[in-house]
């Protein structure tokens, strides 16, 4: 007899799911038995916490383009999924969550672990449905996948315990109310109105200083983005989720934009007269042109998001690749290339400044910028890079220069702590022959990363191999990004009561688990530490003891931020070090612009 649980896994398999991340519990006992009978297809990957399962499902979607899948038991297990599912929702990734529920008989009785899961998942899900009859499973599962793919979001399927263990009805009786659905979906070709395309071309052709910002929506349009930038003589800034759209060795790519951005991107945006945004919902007005400064054109596949970040003159609702293909024949090549030449000059100066800042070490401690700067030229071909949320993300964004074929992602819109490690694990499962490197702050590593090292141990035979697999931990005993935000945004000094975290021997912990641990606290040994980690065939925790007083200096500082930072510095416990190191880092930037410096 085939049970509903078995048929559920069969339907997942038919939808192309071969790996499901989760943690067991009695609310999915029926599914666990079915996983055993499925003999590894789909495979149940046991994580340490359901939140990590959802992060891994999101990462699988990001790095493969497929639907990611996770599972959890009823009650607390279901609750644990939410943060990771919100990461998928906010970054527009197709994820299907399969969740257990108490038996139908007990629902409504305030039973143990009984939660109104349909209400709990209502906001995070584009589709959320409980299966209350075996004949319902087929079309509910099919709609979940069709919705996740169409809406690029989360779909949740809730299956009570007794339904999981009931006899399956793959083909329900042909009667009033029965539904017969199919596996299958295809991506539509979405193009904007031709009149709007002509309007966009007019705006772009009239502009003399065109700036482009690209996001993850332009991920499959690299050649079209490059051709557009060449015709328009534009520079291209990349939102964090768009890091992999273009390689950083293109001379007109200005790098990241925003608080974690580059001076080259900031100069371009502050001085442009035309803005072209492609596949990005970059939200920060302070890093976009002043209203009225520039005319705007935007390409986005979601009409709900078009023209809500900056007032646009042309609104192109469509797929980035196909829309740019339609737009390119209408564009005229700029004869005056002085704007492009200035952009490329700013890029060279920014890269030089980053190298100089990374080379400044104070009092024998490691400058965290050097950790990224030393890795950048050593990045293995085809590597996959992940990052957590914290001050280390600044160095990941600014100092790592991606080459053709490299992949990179992080929690972009939710910007939550915790996903750097599970993203890396999911990437390694999906691509066991590709190098994977994660940048993680010690706060995030303590929060969840250390536990997921046990997951790495659990699957050590599968996750080891010639391609390096490295978890780089920035040990500064400080929740550093928030510390700097307290200073610059709130005008408050560092509060050790909330910001200090204990020193933990992360490398030794890795060795305790049978992984490779490398510890580095000497500036001159950073490069050698990377070389040792990248040569290992066993997963590595690479721990750097870094300086917590190196400020992630934004491309520009507002007067209000300057006042608040000065106010905070008066009583800050690290005021002496901050002042000395910050001044020296800023002087390095000013020195770049001395007369004759670049003659």
């Amino acid at each position: 007899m085939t049970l509903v649980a078995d048929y559920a896994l069969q339907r997942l398999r038919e939808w192309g799911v071969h790996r499901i991340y989760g943690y067991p519990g009695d609310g999915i006992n029926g599914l666990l038995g079915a996983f055993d009978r499925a003999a590894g297809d789909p495979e149940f990957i046991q994580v340490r916490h359901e939140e990590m399962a959802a992060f891994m499902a999101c990462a699988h979607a990001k790095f493969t383009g497929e639907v990611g899948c996770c599972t959890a038991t009823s009650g607390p297990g279901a609750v644990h999924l939410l943060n990771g599912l919100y990461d998928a929702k906010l970054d527009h990734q197709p994820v299907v969550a399969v969740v257990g529920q108490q038996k139908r008989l007990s629902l409504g009785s305030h039973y143990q672990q009984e939660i109104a899961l349909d209400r709990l998942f209502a906001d995070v899900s584009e589709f959320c449905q409980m299966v209350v009859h075996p004949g319902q499973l087929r079309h509910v599962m099919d709609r979940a996948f069709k919705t996740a793919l169409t809406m690029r979001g989360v779909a949740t399927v809730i299956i009570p315990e007794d339904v999981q263990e009931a006899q399956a009805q793959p083909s329900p009786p042909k009667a009033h109310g029965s539904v017969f659905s199919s596996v299958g979906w295809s991506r539509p070709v979405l193009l904007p109105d031709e009149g709007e395309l002509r309007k966009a071309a007019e705006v772009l052709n009239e502009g003399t200083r065109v700036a482009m910002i690209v996001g993850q929506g332009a991920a499959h349009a690299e050649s079209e983005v490059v051709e557009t930038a060449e015709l328009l003589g534009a520079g291209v800034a990349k939102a964090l989720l768009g890091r992999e759209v273009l390689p950083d060795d293109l001379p007109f790519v200005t790098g990241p934009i925003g608080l974690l951005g580059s001076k080259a991107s900031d100069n371009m945006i502050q001085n442009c007269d035309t803005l072209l945004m492609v596949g990005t919902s970059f939200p920060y007005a302070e890093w976009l042109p002043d209203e009225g400064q520039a005319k705007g054109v935007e390409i986005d596949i979601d009409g709900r998001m078009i023209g809500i970040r900056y007032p646009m003159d042309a609104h192109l609702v469509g797929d980035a690749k196909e829309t740019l293909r339609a737009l390119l024949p209408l564009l005229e090549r700029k004869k005056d290339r002085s704007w492009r030449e200035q952009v490329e000059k700013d890029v060279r100066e920014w890269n030089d400044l980053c190298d100089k800042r990374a080379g400044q070490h104070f009092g024998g401690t490691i400058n965290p910028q050097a950790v990224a700067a030393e890795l950048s030229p050593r990045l293995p071909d085809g590597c996959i890079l992940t990052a957590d949320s914290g001050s280390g993300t600044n160095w990941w964004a600014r100092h790592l220069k991606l080459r053709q074929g490299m992949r990179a992602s992080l929690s972009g819109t939710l910007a939550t702590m915790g996903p750097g490690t599970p993203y890396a694990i999911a990437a390694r499962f999906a691509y066991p022959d590709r190098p994977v490197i994660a940048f993680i702050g010690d706060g995030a590593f303590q929060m969840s990363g250390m536990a997921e090292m046990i997951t790495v141990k659990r699957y050590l035979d599968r996750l080891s191999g010639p391609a390096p697999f490295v978890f780089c931990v920035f040990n500064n005993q400080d929740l550093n990004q928030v510390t700097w935000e307290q200073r610059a945004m709130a005008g408050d000094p560092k509060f050790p009561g909330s910001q200090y975290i204990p020193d933990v021997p992360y490398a030794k912990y890795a060795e305790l688990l049978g992984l490779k641990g490398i510890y580095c606290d000497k500036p001159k040994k950073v490069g050698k530490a990377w070389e040792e980690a990248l040569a290992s065939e066993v997963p590595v925790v690479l721990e750097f003891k870094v300086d917590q007083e190196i400020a992630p200096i934004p491309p520009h500082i507002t007067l209000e931020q300057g006042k608040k930072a000065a106010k905070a510095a008066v009583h800050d416990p690290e005021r002496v070090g901050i002042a000395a190191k910050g001044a020296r880092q800023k002087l390095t930037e000013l020195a770049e612009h001395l007369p004759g410096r670049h003659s």
Side-chain angles (χ1 to χ4, degrees), residues 281-514:
S281 59
F282 180 77
Y284 303 113
E286 65 270 34
W287 303 102
L288 293 174
D290 293 336
E291 185 171 6
Q293 169 193 325
K295 289 193 171 182
V297 174
E298 184 173 8
I299 300 171
D300 201 294
I301 201 166
D302 188 348
R304 298 171 300 178
M305 298 299 294
I306 202 88
I308 68 166
R309 298 308 192 211
Y310 187 80
M312 294 295 169
D313 297 273
H315 305 75
L316 302 179
V317 179
D319 172 80
K321 185 179 185 72
E322 299 301 329
T323 300
L324 286 173
R325 279 183 174 177
L327 181 63
L328 278 165
L330 306 177
L331 299 179
E332 301 166 0
R333 179 177 171 81
K334 306 288 184 193
K335 294 178 180 178
D336 183 353
R337 311 301 283 186
S338 58
W339 169 251
R340 164 64 77 83
E341 290 165 4
Q342 181 61 50
V343 168
E344 293 185 1
K345 178 175 179 287
D346 287 346
V347 170
R348 291 192 298 271
E349 290 182 356
W350 169 254
N351 289 336
D352 191 36
L353 175 61
C354 283
D355 290 341
K356 285 183 168 60
R357 283 179 173 173
Q360 295 175 336
H361 301 278
F362 305 89
T365 56
I366 295 174
N367 179 343
Q369 295 166 102
V371 174
E374 289 284 354
L375 169 62
S376 192
R378 296 176 170 88
L379 284 171
D381 290 340
C383 66
I384 301 174
L385 302 168
T386 73
D388 221 293
S389 298
S391 61
T393 317
N394 292 272
W395 324 132
W396 183 86
R398 294 175 180 174
H399 293 268
L400 292 183
K401 306 302 181 185
L402 271 63
R403 303 190 302 275
Q404 190 76 34
M406 294 180 178
R407 306 290 307 276
S409 196
L410 76 174
S411 176
T413 312
L414 188 60
T416 179
M417 287 177 68
T421 297
Y423 268 33
I425 294 171
R428 185 66 163 200
F429 270 116
Y431 301 103
D433 298 325
R434 294 183 68 168
V436 178
I437 303 168
F439 268 36
I440 314 153
D442 50 359
F445 205 58
Q446 288 185 15
M447 179 181 284
S448 57
M450 293 181 73
E452 288 311 309
M453 290 302 98
I454 302 173
T455 301
V456 176
K457 174 184 174 65
R458 171 79 166 74
Y459 299 99
L460 188 59
D461 58 331
R462 305 230 335 246
L463 301 178
S464 298
F469 188 22
V470 183
F471 300 89
C472 172
V473 180
F474 290 76
N475 181 350
N476 57 21
Q477 295 184 251
D478 183 39
L479 298 174
N480 203 235
Q481 185 72 14
V482 173
T483 294
W484 287 107
E485 288 169 348
Q486 286 177 336
R487 291 164 175 151
M489 296 180 182
D492 291 327
K494 174 180 175 177
F495 173 47
S498 68
Q499 301 310 106
Y500 163 81
I501 59 175
D503 191 14
V504 173
Y506 305 106
K508 290 182 179 178
Y509 171 73
E511 292 174 351
L512 184 69
L513 294 176

Side-chain angles (χ1 to χ4, degrees), residues 49-55 58 77-90 121 124 154 411 414-419 423 447-448:
H49 190 284
E50 291 90 351
E51 180 185 6
M52 302 297 106
F55 281 138
C58 179
V79 173
H80 285 166
L81 285 176
L82 281 176
N83 195 49
L85 293 181
Y86 270 106
D87 185 44
K89 173 188 170 74
L90 269 61
F121 287 98
V124 77
V154 175
S411 176
L414 188 60
T416 179
M417 287 177 68
Y423 268 33
M447 179 181 284
S448 57

Side-chain angles (χ1 to χ4, degrees), residues 187-204:
R187 188 176 303 280
V189 176
L190 185 60
L191 283 169
D193 174 75
E194 289 185 10
E196 200 73 8
L197 277 169
R198 288 193 294 271
K199 186 192 298 186
E202 288 173 9
V203 171
L204 295 170

Side-chain angles (χ1 to χ4, degrees), residues 543-583:
E543 176 187 356
F544 289 103
K545 189 71 174 177
V546 298
D547 194 333
Q548 63 179 249
E549 296 176 352
I550 303 295
I553 302 172
H556 71 250
I557 300 172
T558 66
L559 179 61
E560 187 65 23
Q561 286 174 333
K563 288 180 179 178
K564 287 182 176 179
K567 174 189 170 188
V570 174
H571 301 291
D572 200 284
E574 293 156 10
R575 56 188 175 275
V576 176
I578 291 170
K581 296 166 189 178

